Amino acid sequence: MGTVRKLIVEVVDARDLLPKDGRGTSSPYVMVDFYGQRKRIPTVARDLNPAWNETLSFNVGKPSDILGDMLELDVLHDKNYGPTRRNNFLGRVRLSSSQFVRKGEEALIYYKLEKKSFFTWVRGEIGLKIYYADEEIPQPSQPPPPAPTETPPEEAKSEKAPAQEEAKPDATAAPEEAEAKPPSEAAAAEPDKVEQSEAAAAPPTEPPPESDKTSEEPAPAEAPTPETENAAPDAEKPVVPEQPQPPTVEDADQVKASPLETSRTMPEIRFSGLNVPQGPQPIRRAASAASFTSDVSDTMSMERCSFDLVEKMHYLFVRVVKARYLPPNCHPFVKIAVSGHQVTSKPARKTTLFEWDQTFAFGRDSPESASLLEVSVWDPPFSAPATSDEDSGCFLGGLCFDVSEIPLRDPPDSPLAPQWYRLEGGGARYGDLMLATWVGTQADESFPDAWKTDTAGSVHSRAKIYQSPKLWYLRATVLEAQDILPLTVMKEASFQVRAQLGFQVLKSKVSVSRNGIASWDDDLIFVAAEPWSDQLIFTLENRQPKGSITMGVVRIPLTNIERRVDDRNVASRWVPFEDVNNDKRVYKGRIHLRLCFDGGYHVMDESAHVCSDFRPTARQLWKPPVGTVELGIIRCRNLVPMKTVNGKSSTDAYCVAKYGNKWVRTRTVSDSLDPKWNEQYTWKVFDPCTVLTIGIFDSFGVHGVDCEEEAARPDFRIGKVRVRISTLQTGRVYRNTYPLLVLTSAGTKKMGEIEIAIRFIRTSQRLDFLQVYSQPMLPLMHHIRPLGLAQQEMLRNTAVKIVAGHLSRSEPPLRREVVLYMLDADSHNFSMRKVRANWYRIINVVAGFIDILRWIEDTRGWKNPTATILVHALLVMLVWFPDLIIPTLAFYIFVIGAWNYRFRSRDPLPHFDQKISLAEVVDREELDEEFDTVPSSRSGDMIRVRYDKLRMLGTRVQTVLGDIAAQGERVQALVTWRDPRGTGIFVGMCLVVALMLYLVPPKMVAMAFGFYYLRHPVFRDRTPSPALNFFRRLPSLSDRIM
């Protein structure tokens, strides 16, 4: 039974609508339009907060330029209620279909009503639930058979003619199939129906042995239906022909290919005067390697590549599909030899035919590659492919192709159709092998799953795209519990609720109760990942001196928890406790809970300063993308050998890129210090102030080590590159080489270089794109109900573990250490190097203000008299015209920014800076401390030395904090009368200043103060000013610290 997709719109209610009936109320109804389907819900009379709770269903059609994919919802006032003469407009909502979710992910969302035009006045919001649902199509009832009617003679004749024409292919298909079957297999067993239909639909390129005139008849114009093909062998049994003679080359040259047998997807290829359809013709003589004289670039100049950011890499593709007419008891496998590479396929899967359906890609980087492609079929002595030529088993036949005659495939074209080739020179005299071979690039759709020469054929070496799991914040509010103590117990007891979700365990605060009622009102927040598989378990514990006693357990499936996208209140519920011993007859009390999934938050799995996405979890709140970023991963150069395998140093490098919830992994290039990937990927950009992270790793799983210790070895990190999207110009291609730097316990080490190309394309309007900079980075829920810093860090570590566990279970897996390195899971560990680096960053920021203070001191010191005179003139102008202060300041900042534009950084894209990171001058002892585990694994003496060093640093910090606190306390002492004389002097001076400003114009006071401050050093005393001396004499609380 089929299904049809429907869009379900649940109109729940509306709030605070505008009165339109002239009596202070409105009678609203809703009109919904989707894909040209208009539906209306009933009117609620005289209510500004109506509740409809109506459900509408719409058919979902294909994308249309005429109808569009927008859902329009208009709220109108019904003219039948009240003195109005028309349906007044109350507001509208327009939503894109990209915001809708599947059934089960929906949530009640209140949308703010929008205006129809600039002069429209609306207010209020409407609550909707919108989701897609698949409805089953009911089976139509079978109508009764119609009564027989007499047919005129002319119509009867016209109906007989098509029936006879449709029966003709059956008569010709059966003899052809019977004669195309080799005699050895015809005598052994009766041919299968599926095999016969394939032989009729796709005849081999070489003509079968001729023993009857029926084989020379042309193929039918239309392929017969499956029912007709299956019925043909039953009606007419195949006749076993005499032993045919193998066809000669002269016979093959005289054969004319029918135009109906030529594939319409590929052009015809001329070969020795014979039009061969679809693929190249195998050669019957061994060609010398010197016959390959054409250059790869010359042969493939007509090929287009959709990967415009990377270089084209040419490959020779060989797709081995299946074989027929082989000995029935064999277990064949295929050997392919070309350009010094020899590949063995997996053993064939025996069905009606022998099937492989494997694709192999051989690199074509140099014109010195061999010109001969050899494909052979072997039957091993055992049921497994042989490892050497001596034990290869029985040779069943082979093919040879001239590589220069293999066609080129343009990626926009359809895939090349495989065809049958006759095997030669082996035990299977009339065996056929279906394969296709072509020359293409990495843009070919067969490339990702093909065996490649540079990946050693490992399953874990393929390029893959991963998706992070959809993460939600689960908010569990524990309100209270009742009946948790027997009525006879009247003493006080301490209760605590322990909540567990997977490996996450949180505890509520302790509540003391005497009457069996405990209250907490605690919010416990977990991180949950779709699909829901765990249960949320609440355990009530009675805390006693000897230990906690479990009073009851509650298990709640995650599928029963409501979702919300805003801060609306969710209905709470009472849940009875289960007995620990699963005794359902015992009542253990009940607990009051409020549970919901908060979809309005963004679940952080990266550090805030290198985050790649800020979208909320709920898809309904997503905004349209502002652009796309394209990344081309080209190559690495001069990589350092990372391991030793069989006594040889090697590196099996692969690259991982992460942006948003999309991860990409390139193929693993085995045993190469200069790997080339030339792979291109694309991401949607929702916020330009995000970071794209690229990491390079060395894989150990390529070699398929059986030892458990070796198999558990982690993939070593080679380096990382970060690119901030906001630093990219629109439409410009940045192709740069970056050094791969890794900080180890021995210092900074350069592991090689990586070359990438990146481009950002803006897809939104310019004003919409610039408006993003004025919007908050995090969703609204982070500002309405913010989370604490410690809680955010705890939830981030939990999200990192969930993402790492999810991706490590993929196939091929993205290993845990790779995910942790990409997400900077250890970025908040203590490091003395980072402490000093951050201190120097603060000094660098404050240096600008220090320069301003130095310039002021130089100006008032008359070191440059011209500048001091100009400052006096500027002071006079600003004092007498104070309206010019803010414009002058803004213009001055503009001049500074325009002047600094000349000295902007010329680096193509910023990268890790060893100078800012203090990685070049870091002490070896500090690095050892930075890479130490928690708890420490070093000796006690070394830990004591580090502790003493940390105490010295803490003493400095303690002194600085005490000085800052003392200055603040002196400011408070001005008016707190802690020093009566000091406070009296300050208060009296404030009174004098107030009276003077009442009598003297403020402009005169400001000008006098300015000239006094800028007076010449001749009229200035070198001792500190009286005001500074007075402030320093004020008391602080430092003398009260014990």
Side-chain angles (χ1 to χ4, degrees):
M1 185 177 295
T3 59
V4 60
R5 169 159 285 195
K6 298 280 189 178
L7 179 68
I8 308 300
V9 180
E10 295 184 14
V11 185
V12 182
D13 58 357
R15 301 173 178 172
D16 194 23
L17 296 180
L18 199 67
K20 287 287 186 177
D21 63 351
R23 298 175 180 174
T25 61
S26 291
S27 300
Y29 69 93
V30 178
M31 184 72 69
V32 186
D33 187 353
F34 182 70
Y35 271 100
Q37 309 166 60
R38 293 178 62 87
K39 295 186 178 181
R40 170 181 170 170
I41 64 176
T43 303
V44 176
R46 299 178 183 86
D47 194 350
L48 297 180
N49 299 286
W52 291 285
N53 294 311
E54 295 285 340
T55 302
L56 304 177
S57 176
F58 298 90
N59 295 323
V60 179
K62 296 181 179 179
S64 173
D65 296 334
I66 300 176
L67 300 176
D69 60 347
M70 300 293 295
L71 173 69
E72 296 187 7
L73 187 144
D74 294 335
V75 184
L76 304 170
H77 165 71
D78 197 342
K79 65 180 180 180
N80 297 325
Y81 297 85
T84 58
R85 297 184 178 180
R86 58 189 179 90
N87 296 331
N88 292 321
F89 180 78
L90 297 177
R92 72 165 37 168
V93 174
R94 291 171 54 88
L95 301 174
S96 174
S97 60
S98 60
Q99 299 177 258
F100 307 151
V101 296
R102 301 187 305 270
K103 185 177 181 180
E105 300 180 8
E106 73 277 4
L108 177 60
I109 305 178
Y110 283 90
Y111 296 95
K112 187 177 181 180
L113 296 176
E114 301 174 355
K115 297 181 179 181
K116 182 188 296 185
S117 63
F118 180 77
F119 300 100
T120 309
W121 184 28
V122 298
R123 76 180 186 194
E125 54 188 8
I126 185 170
L128 304 172
K129 284 185 180 181
I130 308 175
Y131 54 91
Y132 289 114
D134 294 330
E135 297 183 359
E136 294 184 354
I137 303 176
Q139 196 80 15
S141 58
Q142 206 141 18
T149 56
E150 295 185 2
T151 307
E154 292 82 8
E155 296 180 6
K157 291 181 181 179
S158 62
E159 291 176 0
K160 288 181 181 180
Q164 294 175 358
E165 291 177 4
E166 292 178 1
K168 283 183 180 180
D170 301 342
T172 58
E176 285 183 8
E177 293 169 3
E179 292 164 351
K181 179 171 178 61
S184 60
E185 211 169 308
E190 186 177 348
D192 194 80
K193 299 178 183 179
V194 179
E195 185 176 343
Q196 292 179 358
S197 63
E198 289 183 355
T205 55
E206 291 187 19
E210 298 181 17
S211 64
D212 206 342
K213 290 184 179 180
T214 14
S215 61
E216 298 179 359
E217 295 179 5
E222 279 186 34
T225 59
E227 293 81 1
T228 310
E229 291 176 351
N230 295 336
D234 298 335
E236 194 171 327
K237 296 291 182 179
V239 181
V240 179
E242 298 180 358
Q243 182 70 21
Q245 298 295 330
T248 60
V249 180
E250 290 80 4
D251 297 335
D253 293 339
Q254 295 175 1
V255 176
K256 302 270 182 158
S258 172
L260 298 174
E261 297 176 354
T262 305
S263 172
R264 299 179 182 178
T265 60
M266 295 297 298
E268 297 183 5
I269 302 173
R270 298 284 181 178
F271 189 90
S272 302
L274 179 67
N275 290 340
V276 182
Q278 300 179 0
Q281 175 74 9
I283 58 178
R284 300 181 183 276
R285 59 181 179 84
S288 62
S291 63
F292 185 77
T293 57
S294 60
D295 192 358
V296 175
S297 59
D298 299 337
T299 309
M300 305 168 187
S301 59
M302 297 299 295
E303 183 176 3
R304 291 190 310 243
C305 183
S306 59
F307 292 3
D308 55 344
L309 295 183
V310 297
E311 301 171 355
K312 289 193 294 185
M313 298 180 66
H314 297 97
Y315 288 87
L316 173 61
F317 290 89
V318 180
R319 182 190 175 197
V320 182
V321 184
K322 50 191 171 183
R324 63 183 180 184
Y325 306 152
L326 299 181
N329 296 326
C330 68
H331 302 279
F333 65 92
V334 178
K335 281 187 179 180
I336 304 174
V338 63
S339 302
H341 298 281
Q342 183 173 347
V343 185
T344 302
S345 72
K346 62 183 179 182
R349 183 175 65 255
K350 181 66 179 296
T351 56
T352 56
L353 303 173
F354 297 95
E355 298 182 358
W356 291 278
D357 198 11
Q358 277 187 276
T359 305
F360 304 89
F362 300 89
R364 303 289 297 164
D365 293 333
S366 62
E368 289 79 12
S369 302
S371 63
L372 195 64
L373 170 63
E374 299 179 1
V375 182
S376 56
V377 182
W378 297 76
D379 182 19
F382 305 101
S383 299
T387 57
S388 62
D389 294 339
E390 286 75 7
D391 56 353
S392 295
C394 178
F395 175 64
L396 300 180
L399 298 169
C400 291
F401 294 92
D402 190 350
V403 177
S404 60
E405 298 293 336
I406 293 179
L408 307 176
R409 178 173 176 261
D410 213 356
D413 291 347
S414 300
L416 190 69
Q419 61 186 77
W420 292 103
Y421 293 93
R422 176 61 50 86
L423 297 175
E424 299 178 357
R429 298 184 58 185
Y430 303 107
D432 291 336
L433 179 65
M434 176 180 281
L435 61 84
T437 177
W438 70 95
V439 175
T441 65
Q442 71 269 32
D444 199 290
E445 65 272 5
S446 302
F447 181 77
D449 296 328
W451 183 98
K452 299 177 250 320
T453 53
D454 56 359
T455 61
S458 174
V459 179
H460 301 285
S461 301
R462 296 177 179 176
K464 287 294 180 180
I465 297 179
Y466 305 86
Q467 287 286 336
S468 296
K470 191 173 183 179
L471 302 178
W472 293 76
Y473 281 153
L474 172 57
R475 185 183 296 270
T477 305
V478 184
L479 299 175
E480 57 179 337
Q482 294 180 355
D483 305 332
I484 54 180
L485 285 177
L487 296 178
T488 57
V489 178
M490 299 300 295
K491 62 180 181 178
E492 289 185 353
S494 300
F495 295 96
Q496 188 178 36
V497 175
R498 179 178 179 269
Q500 181 176 1
L501 178 63
F503 63 89
Q504 308 172 61
V505 178
L506 297 177
K507 293 184 178 181
S508 67
K509 63 184 180 182
V510 179
S511 177
V512 180
S513 175
R514 177 177 292 181
N515 55 1
I517 299 176
S519 60
W520 295 277
D521 198 13
D522 269 2
D523 274 350
L524 307 178
I525 300 181
F526 301 87
V527 179
E530 291 186 356
W532 316 127
S533 58
D534 297 330
Q535 288 183 334
L536 183 59
I537 303 175
F538 293 93
T539 305
L540 180 64
E541 298 177 348
N542 184 1
R543 301 189 60 182
Q544 296 183 359
K546 295 183 179 180
S548 299
I549 299 176
T550 302
M551 305 293 294
V553 179
V554 169
R555 293 180 175 87
I556 300 178
L558 298 185
T559 54
N560 298 339
I561 300 178
E562 185 181 354
R563 308 185 188 196
R564 71 173 184 181
V565 297
D566 49 16
D567 62 334
R568 63 182 177 87
N569 290 327
V570 179
S572 59
R573 51 178 168 170
W574 289 93
V575 184
F577 282 111
E578 301 174 2
D579 188 72
V580 182
N581 301 322
N582 295 326
D583 189 357
K584 298 182 179 180
R585 296 172 298 176
V586 179
Y587 176 67
K588 305 294 292 185
R590 60 179 184 171
I591 188 171
H592 195 194
L593 302 173
R594 183 185 295 120
L595 307 174
C596 68
F597 286 108
D598 275 334
Y601 288 95
H602 169 69
V603 181
M604 303 284 291
D605 58 352
E606 300 170 291
S607 299
H609 60 280
V610 293
C611 194
S612 61
D613 191 12
F614 295 104
R615 290 176 296 170
T617 302
R619 188 183 181 89
Q620 300 94 319
L621 302 180
W622 290 5
K623 297 179 181 178
V626 297
T628 58
V629 59
E630 301 175 358
L631 173 66
I633 305 173
I634 302 175
R635 64 165 66 90
C636 277
R637 297 190 181 96
N638 305 323
L639 293 181
V640 177
M642 301 298 297
K643 58 181 176 292
T644 302
V645 179
N646 299 328
K648 178 184 176 183
S649 299
S650 65
T651 297
D652 303 322
Y654 66 93
C655 185
V656 176
K658 195 262 181 187
Y659 185 79
N661 58 354
K662 178 180 176 182
W663 300 66
V664 299
R665 170 180 173 162
T666 65
R667 67 186 186 279
T668 303
V669 178
S670 61
D671 195 14
S672 176
L673 300 181
D674 299 308
K676 293 183 179 180
W677 293 289
N678 287 301
E679 299 181 16
Q680 185 169 336
Y681 301 95
T682 304
W683 288 268
K684 291 183 179 180
V685 177
F686 294 86
D687 193 326
C689 302
T690 47
V691 177
L692 170 66
T693 305
I694 307 158
I696 300 89
F697 302 89
D698 173 65
S699 174
F700 204 80
V702 176
H703 303 280
V705 182
D706 297 331
C707 179
E708 294 183 0
E709 296 181 358
E710 295 292 340
R713 176 180 172 178
D715 288 353
F716 289 122
R717 59 186 70 172
I718 299 178
K720 185 192 298 184
V721 177
R722 292 196 188 107
V723 179
R724 185 166 291 273
I725 306 301
S726 59
T727 60
L728 305 177
Q729 297 181 11
T730 303
R732 178 182 173 184
V733 177
Y734 296 84
R735 181 165 178 170
N736 305 306
T737 301
Y738 299 93
L740 298 174
L741 305 174
V742 173
L743 186 65
T744 63
S745 57
T748 306
K749 185 177 181 181
K750 183 177 180 180
M751 310 296 291
E753 296 177 344
I754 183 174
E755 183 179 358
I756 62 173
I758 190 169
R759 175 174 58 199
F760 172 71
I761 300 175
R762 178 173 52 83
T763 57
S764 62
Q765 299 294 331
R766 185 179 299 274
L767 293 179
D768 295 338
F769 181 75
L770 297 178
Q771 188 186 6
V772 175
Y773 283 83
S774 64
Q775 298 174 353
M777 297 181 65
L778 293 174
L780 185 61
M781 282 294 293
H782 286 270
H783 305 279
I784 297 177
R785 302 188 68 175
L787 304 174
L789 294 179
Q791 190 177 27
Q792 282 187 3
E793 187 61 25
M794 182 196 68
L795 294 174
R796 174 180 173 264
N797 293 333
T798 304
V800 169
K801 293 178 182 178
I802 293 176
V803 172
H806 176 83
L807 296 179
S808 63
R809 294 190 297 268
S810 305
E811 185 61 34
L814 201 59
R815 304 190 63 167
R816 180 182 181 85
E817 60 273 8
V818 174
V819 178
L820 296 181
Y821 180 62
M822 295 290 292
L823 295 178
D824 279 341
D826 56 351
S827 61
H828 295 293
N829 293 346
F830 176 76
S831 169
M832 286 294 299
R833 176 186 61 85
K834 292 183 179 180
V835 170
R836 289 192 288 111
N838 293 333
W839 170 254
Y840 288 139
R841 288 170 57 196
I842 295 175
I843 296 300
N844 191 27
V845 172
V846 179
F849 299 97
I850 296 176
D851 292 340
I852 294 175
L853 295 178
R854 288 177 180 174
W855 176 81
I856 294 175
E857 288 294 328
D858 293 343
T859 302
R860 70 188 294 256
W862 291 76
K863 291 187 177 181
N864 188 353
T866 305
T868 305
I869 293 173
L870 292 177
V871 169
H872 280 80
L874 180 63
L875 175 64
V876 173
M877 183 185 68
L878 295 180
V879 167
W880 288 104
F881 303 98
D883 297 342
L884 299 178
I885 295 177
I886 296 179
T888 303
L889 182 62
F891 183 76
Y892 182 69
I893 296 176
F894 164 76
V895 172
I896 293 176
W899 180 262
N900 289 338
Y901 180 78
R902 300 174 53 195
F903 308 102
R904 67 189 184 279
S905 176
R906 299 293 181 177
D907 295 337
L909 284 177
H911 189 48
F912 292 110
D913 195 328
Q914 300 185 58
K915 184 177 179 181
I916 297 178
S917 306
L918 300 181
E920 297 176 342
V921 296
V922 65
D923 186 39
R924 189 69 62 88
E925 173 64 24
E926 293 181 357
L927 284 176
D928 184 73
E929 181 182 8
E930 182 175 347
F931 286 94
D932 193 8
T933 58
V934 178
S936 178
S937 58
R938 301 296 184 264
S939 62
D941 295 337
M942 184 176 294
I943 295 176
R944 187 179 298 109
V945 171
R946 292 176 180 175
Y947 177 68
D948 293 339
K949 187 176 180 180
L950 186 61
R951 289 177 63 187
M952 295 175 60
L953 177 63
T955 303
R956 297 179 186 177
V957 174
Q958 169 186 313
T959 304
V960 172
L961 294 178
D963 293 341
I964 294 175
Q967 304 304 324
E969 290 167 353
R970 288 192 178 101
V971 173
Q972 293 178 346
L974 289 172
V975 292
T976 56
W977 297 92
R978 195 176 302 152
D979 184 354
R981 299 182 186 88
T983 303
I985 294 173
F986 177 74
V987 172
M989 290 299 298
C990 290
L991 177 61
V992 172
V993 170
L995 294 176
M996 184 176 63
L997 291 179
Y998 278 127
L999 300 175
V1000 183
K1003 294 182 180 180
M1004 299 298 296
V1005 177
M1007 187 173 296
F1009 176 77
F1011 277 92
Y1012 175 78
Y1013 183 77
L1014 297 174
R1015 68 190 184 277
H1016 197 274
V1018 177
F1019 307 102
R1020 193 180 305 153
D1021 192 2
R1022 293 186 179 181
T1023 59
S1025 63
L1028 184 59
N1029 294 331
F1030 173 77
F1031 182 77
R1032 288 176 177 175
R1033 291 178 179 275
L1034 292 174
S1036 65
L1037 299 180
S1038 301
D1039 53 349
R1040 301 187 184 183
I1041 298 295
M1042 298 181 63

